[in-house]
Amino acid sequence: MTARTPAGTPPQAARITILDILRALALLGIVIVHAHDHFNLYLPIPPAEGWQAAANSAADWVYEYLFVSKSFLLFSFLFGLSFFIQLDRQEQKGVDFRKRFMWRLALLFLFGLAHTLFYDGDILTIFGVLGFALVALYKRGTPLLVILCLLCLMQPISFMDTLSRTGMADIWPHSSGWFQPASPAAGPSREFLYEHGSWSEAALWNLTQGQTGKWQFLLLSGRIWQTLGLFILGMLAGRWHVFVDTANKRRLFLRMLGISGTLFLALLLARLFLPTRLDYPLGADLRHLLVQWENLAYAAAFVSAAVLLFTHPGLPLPFRLLSSAGKCTLTCYVTQTLVFTFLFFGWGLGLAQDMGPWACLCAAVAVFLLQAWACRLWLSYFLYGPLEWLWRTATMCRIQPFRKEKETG
């Protein structure tokens, strides 16, 4: 039973610091991936020589094996968990927050549209749409949520695509034929507009063809099912209080690390060896399916290891720096895009082809560290990040407190 104040309302719940740290780590991974991809401006990079070639190879390895298609999974999981925490805390006060949260999702979608003016790979619109599933499922029983979570994470489209290669094509048409490729008559390509077009031309492409392509990718790649499954998994983690008092749950996270790490290695070996023994179409589909399960196991191992590391007493880790960035995730995510699209695209400095993988990795880490330092300084004077406060104010439809009260003594 939740303790209550004399006025009859529960006391203000404290933030769970480890979740802010995990958000910051996800944010770091996201900017590393996006910077490596030049924010979807795919242009040939001149070959490097000497130490730069070796550094580029190392940066490619970091991108491929540590971050790509993995940081997004952590973001999705944390979104579902944060959803549960918000609604549960309001429920403890006797408030049904679901309608207000739907309004909050609509606002997130609008933030995403504004962000899309600069980057066609925006995830805010995705979360704003798919987040309504969380509202619909919030009151459902745990067994049903577990089943739905497993079905989504099983990757139904990729699973059926793999089976279709074994003689079931009449029952399940392969997803590769669901959509027609874009015709050259549709106009200039994304790369041409990003490299040579004005900001308004690129923004218009992002809002039209870019959005169509993004949602097709989400469906065909399985990212939609991953996102929904991890939303539900995050909500279940909230119900089970997995991240409450993590310092006293080290044994639980050690077991999780052992299980997920073993599963990751098994799936990695399966992906490396099984598809090579099969014909190309079947082997390619099986590899695609296995890598998605592999990324899930990696993300689970990463979360477990991070919790164990940051709850270990006495380690000199940048807790406050990372947690500050985690409290300003929306602001940091959007400003990363503003910085790097100006750096890479033709309407800005146009440096995409001048920055190889190593330079992009260094720039991404530098921008993240600068953001984390700025967030720490900002939160010394303010309660929320700028966009977090704006989102909160619009959600509640009234001005929310912003500046911290000066201590008197």
Side-chain angles (χ1 to χ4, degrees):
M1 185 174 179
T2 305
R4 293 182 177 268
T5 63
T9 58
Q12 182 69 33
R15 290 184 69 97
I16 302 175
T17 302
I18 190 61
L19 297 184
D20 287 327
I21 292 173
L22 289 174
R23 289 187 191 97
L25 294 175
L27 191 69
L28 173 60
I30 287 286
V31 72
I32 287 174
V33 170
H34 289 173
H36 182 281
D37 294 339
H38 296 108
F39 278 71
N40 288 350
L41 175 53
Y42 297 103
L43 297 174
I45 303 298
E49 298 179 355
W51 72 268
Q52 290 183 332
N56 283 343
S57 296
D60 283 334
W61 187 93
V62 169
Y63 164 86
E64 179 70 26
Y65 292 99
L66 300 184
F67 294 109
V68 69
S69 298
K70 300 173 180 69
S71 302
F72 181 88
L73 305 185
L74 180 53
F75 249 148
S76 301
F77 171 77
L78 292 171
F79 186 85
L81 178 54
S82 298
F83 161 83
F84 174 83
I85 290 173
Q86 289 182 54
L87 266 69
D88 183 62
R89 289 180 175 177
Q90 292 295 323
E91 197 170 48
Q92 291 177 15
K93 301 175 184 178
V95 177
D96 186 346
F97 201 66
R98 283 177 293 178
K99 291 183 179 179
R100 183 72 67 175
F101 194 86
M102 287 191 285
W103 169 236
R104 184 172 174 83
L105 289 171
L107 292 169
L108 183 64
F109 182 82
L110 294 177
F111 274 119
L113 286 181
H115 182 241
T116 300
L117 295 173
F118 296 88
Y119 177 49
D120 69 321
D122 162 76
I123 65 173
L124 303 180
T125 49
I126 301 169
F127 284 13
V129 172
L130 299 184
F132 281 89
L134 287 172
V135 180
L137 294 172
Y138 178 66
K139 291 289 188 179
R140 302 300 177 183
T142 297
L144 174 62
L145 294 183
V146 171
I147 293 172
L148 290 175
C149 177
L150 291 175
L151 287 175
C152 289
L153 296 182
M154 186 184 74
Q155 290 292 347
I157 291 181
S158 297
F159 186 80
M160 293 304 297
D161 277 349
T162 303
L163 291 181
S164 76
R165 299 293 193 188
T166 63
M168 296 179 57
D170 292 337
I171 300 174
W172 178 268
H174 196 275
S175 64
S176 60
W178 289 5
F179 302 104
Q180 296 296 323
S183 168
S189 68
R190 173 178 62 188
E191 279 67 27
F192 179 85
L193 289 175
Y194 283 4
E195 185 181 12
H196 302 291
S198 64
W199 172 82
S200 60
E201 290 173 326
L204 180 60
W205 192 95
N206 289 346
L207 288 172
T208 52
Q209 296 180 59
Q211 290 309 289
T212 301
K214 179 177 76 174
W215 285 97
Q216 288 182 5
F217 167 78
L218 291 170
L219 178 62
L220 299 181
S221 68
R223 187 67 63 85
I224 280 183
W225 303 108
Q226 275 186 335
T227 304
L228 288 171
L230 288 165
F231 278 3
I232 298 171
L233 185 60
M235 186 161 59
L236 288 169
R239 283 190 181 183
W240 296 331
H241 306 290
V242 173
F243 293 92
V244 176
D245 194 22
T246 51
N248 292 320
K249 293 179 179 176
R250 293 182 58 81
R251 184 172 297 179
L252 168 65
F253 285 99
L254 276 170
R255 287 198 296 267
M256 289 174 55
L257 177 59
I259 294 170
S260 56
T262 302
L263 185 59
F264 166 74
L265 292 175
L267 289 167
L268 175 62
L269 292 174
R271 176 173 63 86
L272 292 176
F273 294 107
L274 283 181
T276 60
R277 300 176 180 272
L278 302 171
D279 293 336
Y280 168 72
L282 176 58
D285 281 334
L286 180 59
R287 184 182 296 108
H288 178 67
L289 180 61
L290 289 174
V291 77
Q292 293 179 81
W293 293 344
E294 177 189 321
N295 287 338
L296 287 171
Y298 176 93
F302 180 88
V303 168
S304 303
V307 170
L308 290 169
L309 183 65
F310 283 92
T311 57
H312 192 284
L315 290 181
L317 298 172
F319 294 93
R320 188 178 174 190
L321 190 70
L322 290 175
S323 64
S324 297
K327 292 173 183 176
C328 301
T329 305
L330 180 59
T331 298
C332 289
Y333 175 69
V334 172
T335 53
Q336 286 172 358
T337 296
L338 298 180
V339 169
F340 279 103
T341 53
F342 177 76
L343 193 65
F344 292 145
F345 292 0
W347 54 261
L349 299 180
L351 298 178
Q353 288 187 295
D354 297 322
M355 296 183 65
W358 172 248
C360 288
L361 175 62
C362 292
V365 173
V367 167
F368 172 79
L369 291 176
L370 181 61
Q371 285 183 316
W373 172 81
C375 289
R376 178 175 175 176
L377 180 63
W378 177 274
L379 292 175
S380 299
Y381 301 96
F382 297 94
L383 296 169
Y384 312 103
L387 292 184
E388 285 72 19
W389 174 82
L390 182 60
W391 191 19
R392 187 182 184 92
T393 292
T395 297
M396 304 310 296
C397 298
R398 60 177 180 272
I399 299 296
Q400 297 294 295
F402 195 24
R403 292 188 65 91
K404 287 185 175 180
E405 296 182 1
K406 295 181 179 180
E407 296 182 2
T408 58

